[in-house]
Amino acid sequence: MGFEGAAGAMGGGVRALMRRKQVDSERARPAGSSNELRKELSVAQLIAIGVGSTIGAGVYVLVGTVAREHSGPALTLSFLIAGIAAALSAFCYAELASRCPSAGSAYHYSYICVGEGVAWLIGWALILEYTIGGSAVARGISPNLALFFGGADNLPLGIATALSICCSLYMLVSVVIVGLVPYFAMDPDTPISSAFARHGVHWAMYLVTTGAVLALCSTLMGSILPQPRILMAMARDGLLPSFFSDVHKTTQVPVKSTIVTGICAASLAFFMDVSQLAGMVSVGTLLAFTIVAVSILILRYVPPDEVPLPSSLQASFRLSHENDEEKLRDTLGDEDHEEGASEISDIVVESIKDPLIEKQLYASKLDETKRRKTAACSIASVCIGVLVLTTSASATFLPFLVRCFVCAFGGLLLLTGLGVLCWIDQDDGRHSFGHSGGFICPFVPLLPVMCILINTYLLINLGGGTWMRVGVWLVMGVFVYIFYGRTHSSLTDVVYVPVAEANEIYGSSSASGFVA
């Protein structure tokens, strides 16, 4: 009995990790809920937020650290590579944001496409990323202040424009800064201002420092802006306490989460330096980029064919079946019900037993099942191959021949999975998944696979110290999920039903005035 109980608990834990929520989870909440956010952003506002939250810390603070400790005079090239990696991820983000518009970013997308376990990991990593991001920016403001005082179609266009502007500015600034000062002599805290000061151009130093302070303040707000929404999305799903999902009635902003985020970011900025903070930010960013690319592959080849039905709608689900039974009784009579049902069943079975119909139905079902299994195995092969290839390529402590053999094995898995995905058809359900008519990511599966490869390689090479610090945070997240999130999840008591049936239930519930 003890063994059976342990096995059942383990099985329940695995099922919890694989739970997926539906795209339109907003409709499962009461209309006019006080937890709704204002969601309208114009293209100009998206560009302003994107540029303002990206330019600050990278240009005015991290340029010195990256050039001095990593890239050297190849700083411009490193920013170009980073821009390409970000552009690949931007295409994937744009499609998912168009199909699944809701607060939560990569956490929300992975919860829909991959499962609750991965979504929790990404959400927990994003909490660290945005908090640390604010800390890194706040940490960068202080030296600049000291030096200054004497020591829409709601989205793809906005992403692309902001990314292009940022990448161009990063590359132009890196060309200037490397030309002014040798990379090994750069000030890691105030690289641009100090470069002008070394050449006696003090008026430029004050001008650049003024821009740095203003830009870093803008970036600080841009870094802290997404964090409360991640917390709110996770709290809405039951994975965190409801305290974080409270939205102010007047401003429609998650004020409590914003205050907590600001306090945590200020505390970390006080105790850690920029290089430590920057490495920890990169883990959350690259994990999110990677899982978003994986989500695109899942959406295109094996989109969820079942969706969760909330416990509040399960009564409607049972009532619908009971009504169907009652209609059949009224038509046939109570005594003839079983006989009539049997006759109908016999007619259906006889019609299906027609050799041609039976063959077509069986072949169609078998082909689709086989295609989905093949696609799932191919996606897994790509992910495993990428992990093996990037890890072995970065493991300089291994003998050369061993590295070559393992790299070849990982590359074979990667190319095999990619080749199969290029050969088989994408799922027909992708056309109706989520909100149709928005941006579509081009060059699938090649673009998402390239995105996974580049981001995984960057993740592997972040360094042991960064992974140790982030590892502590992720282990804490595992315990929080086991002891709170897993049991409080909004998907704990749901029943999974086919997509078409779920849409019919939601439609009938709305028509009858039923509110979930």
Side-chain angles (χ1 to χ4, degrees):
M1 188 68 177
F3 175 78
E4 293 178 356
M10 184 176 295
V14 173
R15 285 193 296 272
L17 295 175
M18 301 303 295
R19 294 186 295 218
R20 294 190 286 193
K21 68 178 183 179
Q22 65 191 83
V23 177
D24 283 328
S25 55
E26 301 284 339
R27 66 184 178 183
R29 288 194 291 272
S33 171
S34 60
N35 284 353
E36 293 297 317
L37 297 174
R38 288 181 179 145
K39 300 179 182 178
E40 291 298 324
L41 285 176
S42 65
V43 173
Q45 290 170 328
L46 284 169
I47 294 173
I49 292 175
V51 175
S53 61
T54 305
I55 289 299
V59 168
Y60 293 105
V61 180
L62 293 180
V63 164
T65 302
V66 173
R68 186 171 181 171
E69 299 180 7
H70 301 286
S71 66
L75 180 63
T76 305
L77 183 60
S78 68
F79 279 129
L80 176 61
I81 295 172
I84 293 172
L88 295 176
S89 301
F91 282 114
C92 300
Y93 262 97
E95 175 168 346
L96 288 173
S98 298
R99 289 182 179 270
C100 316
S102 182
S105 183
Y107 158 78
H108 178 65
Y109 311 145
S110 58
Y111 207 162
I112 291 170
C113 297
V114 185
E116 186 173 284
V118 173
W120 168 263
L121 178 68
I122 295 300
W124 193 250
L126 286 176
I127 291 174
L128 179 68
E129 173 195 345
Y130 290 127
T131 303
I132 294 294
S135 304
V137 177
R139 183 68 179 82
I141 290 176
S142 302
N144 282 284
L145 281 175
L147 185 64
F148 183 76
F149 288 109
D153 252 340
N154 273 354
L155 188 61
L157 180 60
I159 293 174
T161 306
L163 181 62
S164 301
I165 293 173
C166 292
C167 187
S168 300
L169 287 176
Y170 270 78
M171 293 178 67
L172 291 172
V173 169
S174 63
V175 169
V176 173
I177 195 69
V178 173
L180 283 173
V181 181
Y183 71 90
F184 50 82
M186 286 186 186
D187 188 326
D189 289 327
T190 57
I192 302 178
S193 303
S194 299
F196 284 110
R198 284 171 63 96
H199 289 270
V201 189
H202 293 286
W203 65 268
M205 178 195 73
Y206 288 114
L207 182 64
V208 170
T209 302
T210 302
V213 172
L214 296 176
L216 288 168
C217 289
S218 173
T219 306
L220 179 60
M221 290 186 286
S223 298
I224 294 180
L225 177 67
Q227 170 66 296
R229 285 148 180 80
I230 297 290
L231 292 171
M232 184 190 69
M234 297 178 74
R236 280 178 171 179
D237 294 329
L239 303 183
L240 287 176
S242 58
F243 169 87
F244 295 105
S245 65
D246 291 343
V247 176
H248 195 275
K249 294 181 179 179
T250 304
T251 62
Q252 291 184 297
V253 170
V255 176
K256 297 178 181 177
S257 299
T258 304
I259 293 173
V260 171
T261 299
I263 293 173
C264 293
S267 302
L268 289 172
F270 184 78
F271 291 108
M272 301 181 72
D273 60 36
V274 171
S275 60
Q276 292 174 327
L277 294 170
M280 295 174 72
V281 168
S282 298
V283 173
T285 302
L286 294 173
L287 278 176
F289 284 0
T290 304
I291 204 63
V292 163
V294 174
S295 297
I296 285 290
L297 293 177
I298 293 175
L299 186 154
R300 294 295 190 90
Y301 288 94
V302 281
D305 52 1
E306 291 184 337
V307 295
L309 196 66
S311 56
S312 56
L313 283 179
Q314 290 175 23
S316 177
F317 173 67
R318 289 191 294 268
L319 182 62
S320 175
H321 281 270
E322 290 173 1
N323 288 339
D324 291 340
E325 290 287 328
E326 195 172 326
K327 288 178 182 177
L328 186 60
R329 284 197 189 92
D330 292 340
T331 303
L332 301 175
D334 291 337
E335 295 180 357
D336 297 333
H337 172 256
E338 292 184 4
E339 183 180 351
S342 176
E343 289 178 0
I344 292 174
S345 177
D346 291 341
I347 293 172
V348 172
V349 170
E350 288 297 329
S351 63
I352 291 179
K353 281 185 178 180
D354 180 85
L356 182 59
I357 296 177
E358 184 178 10
K359 183 178 180 180
Q360 290 176 344
L361 289 175
Y362 178 76
S364 176
K365 185 176 180 181
L366 184 64
D367 288 345
E368 178 58 17
T369 302
K370 184 178 179 181
R371 190 204 60 78
R372 288 180 68 92
K373 287 183 179 179
T374 302
C377 291
S378 300
I379 294 173
S381 177
V382 166
C383 295
I384 295 172
V386 164
L387 187 60
V388 172
L389 177 61
T390 54
T391 303
S392 57
S394 305
T396 54
F397 58 87
L398 291 176
F400 178 74
L401 290 178
V402 174
R403 287 178 64 194
C404 290
F405 175 78
V406 180
C407 283
F409 176 71
L412 181 63
L413 286 176
L414 169 59
L415 292 176
T416 301
L418 177 59
V420 173
L421 289 176
C422 292
W423 176 65
I424 64 176
D425 293 329
Q426 297 183 22
D427 196 289
D428 292 335
R430 71 186 188 280
H431 298 298
S432 57
F433 186 87
H435 296 246
S436 58
F439 179 82
I440 300 297
C441 179
F443 307 116
V444 175
L446 182 60
L447 189 148
V449 170
M450 288 296 296
C451 182
I452 295 170
L453 178 63
I454 294 174
N455 290 316
T456 304
Y457 180 77
L458 294 174
L459 272 171
I460 294 294
N461 287 277
L462 282 177
T466 296
W467 276 108
M468 286 181 63
R469 287 186 288 271
V470 174
V472 173
W473 173 257
L474 295 179
V475 169
M476 290 171 55
V478 170
F479 283 104
V480 172
Y481 176 75
I482 291 174
F483 293 106
Y484 184 89
R486 182 176 62 88
T487 55
H488 290 78
S489 171
S490 59
L491 300 182
T492 301
D493 298 321
V494 300
V495 173
Y496 284 85
V497 297
V499 175
E501 192 169 351
N503 291 334
E504 183 180 343
I505 293 171
Y506 275 108
S508 62
S509 299
S510 300
S512 61
F514 180 81
V515 178

